[in-house]
Amino acid sequence: MIRSLLLAIGLSLAALPASAGFSFANIDGGTIDLDDYKGHPVLVVNTASRCGFTPQYDGLQALYDRYRDQGLVVLAVPSDDFRQELSSAEAVKDFCAVNFNLTLPMTDITHVKGTQAHPFYQWLRDTKGFEPSWNFNKVLLSPEGQPVATFGSTARPLSRKITSQIEAMLK
């Protein structure tokens, strides 16, 4: 469906820039390299532990559980850019494990907006005009690494507008 729409307006996925080459510090140590997810749709979500949208972690985990075996990756990117994150990666990891039993991949605390934004978020801003305006903004990347859709904080992870796009990429 997405490919058809792009072709109808005269674009191909190859014409769009890809998210290749970006890596994040992993909350568990080491790095998370987006190149490792080539061939898989990826939902990247900037998160925070003390936000009114924090209960969305349940939905993100459920989304990951539902589609993980088909190839979906859900990547949580904790950020304190909106002053609602805990003070350390260890505290974030513990909070998410105890309160949400998260098993999805998670980065270390990362800047997602402004001049200090992680290069991935700078790339999104420069190529899609998208910069998170609050916590729990979502970016869906195609299996080729192109940004396909962005969703604001109020978009629930299991909403049809998100799952329908994921399902189209998993077929």
Side-chain angles (χ1 to χ4, degrees):
M1 179 171 144
I2 294 166
R3 284 187 173 98
S4 308
L5 182 60
L6 288 171
L7 290 173
I9 59 173
L11 294 175
S12 72
L13 287 175
L16 296 172
S19 62
F22 295 113
S23 62
F24 293 84
N26 189 325
I27 202 162
D28 294 319
T31 60
I32 295 173
D33 192 345
L34 288 184
D35 284 345
D36 291 342
Y37 301 139
K38 279 195 177 211
H40 302 277
V42 180
L43 185 69
V44 182
V45 185
N46 66 297
T47 63
S49 301
R50 294 184 284 192
C51 177
F53 293 106
T54 301
Q56 284 190 22
Y57 271 131
D58 283 327
L60 292 172
Q61 184 65 48
L63 184 73
Y64 184 58
D65 291 343
R66 181 186 294 180
Y67 297 110
R68 161 184 27 200
D69 291 342
Q70 297 173 58
L72 176 67
V73 176
V74 176
L75 179 62
V77 182
S79 178
D80 193 36
D81 285 353
F82 303 103
R83 295 178 171 78
Q84 293 190 315
E85 191 49 274
L86 300 172
S87 61
S88 71
E90 184 176 327
V92 171
K93 184 177 173 180
D94 289 346
F95 172 84
C96 290
V98 168
N99 293 291
F100 300 100
N101 198 27
L102 287 190
T103 62
L104 51 90
M106 183 177 277
T107 73
D108 200 344
I109 298 171
T110 303
H111 288 288
V112 299
K113 68 178 209 132
T115 57
Q116 293 182 315
H118 183 278
F120 171 79
Y121 282 96
Q122 291 177 17
W123 169 76
L124 280 175
R125 183 186 61 228
D126 295 346
T127 61
K128 284 285 283 183
F130 176 79
E131 182 175 66
S133 58
W134 195 246
N135 302 308
F136 289 86
N137 279 213
K138 300 151 194 77
V139 178
L140 182 60
L141 301 175
S142 73
E144 296 81 17
Q146 285 87 13
V148 174
T150 59
F151 307 95
S153 302
T154 60
R156 295 179 183 199
L158 293 170
S159 68
R160 194 72 197 132
K161 66 181 167 183
I162 294 176
T163 60
S164 64
Q165 292 196 47
I166 290 168
E167 289 169 1
M169 286 188 268
L170 293 173
K171 292 183 179 187

